[in-house]
Amino acid sequence: MQIFRLTVAWLILGCLGIRAADTGEEKAILAAIQTLFDGMAAHDAVMIKSTMAADARLIGVRGDRPAGSVTRDE
């Protein structure tokens, strides 16, 4: 019974550690998204580019028009 309790305790602690890592990653992702929207609001191309990979593409879709795309640098 003691081994079972220790095993369960280690599993719980392990899961809490994994969740803490997810929270850190989640905060980093949300920070990048917020920077993107702040850059868009400020019309700041440098700020917007800072959130994107070099090979990023932006794809615009509007109603029944064909989708268009531009590179990060365009």
Side-chain angles (χ1 to χ4, degrees):
M1 188 66 168
Q2 182 72 16
I3 292 174
F4 177 75
R5 287 182 185 170
L6 287 173
T7 302
V8 170
W10 278 108
L11 287 172
I12 291 171
L13 290 173
C15 290
L16 290 175
I18 291 170
R19 181 63 192 144
D22 288 345
T23 301
E25 290 174 357
E26 184 177 304
K27 286 181 182 179
I29 292 166
L30 291 175
I33 292 169
Q34 188 61 54
T35 300
L36 171 66
F37 282 112
D38 290 346
M40 291 169 68
H43 303 281
D44 185 338
V46 174
M47 187 184 294
I48 294 169
K49 282 182 175 183
S50 74
T51 65
M52 298 179 182
D55 61 348
R57 295 194 65 79
L58 300 172
I59 300 171
V61 179
R62 290 188 183 179
D64 58 351
R65 295 185 202 172
S69 71
V70 294
T71 65
R72 178 191 78 161
D73 295 328
E74 292 174 327

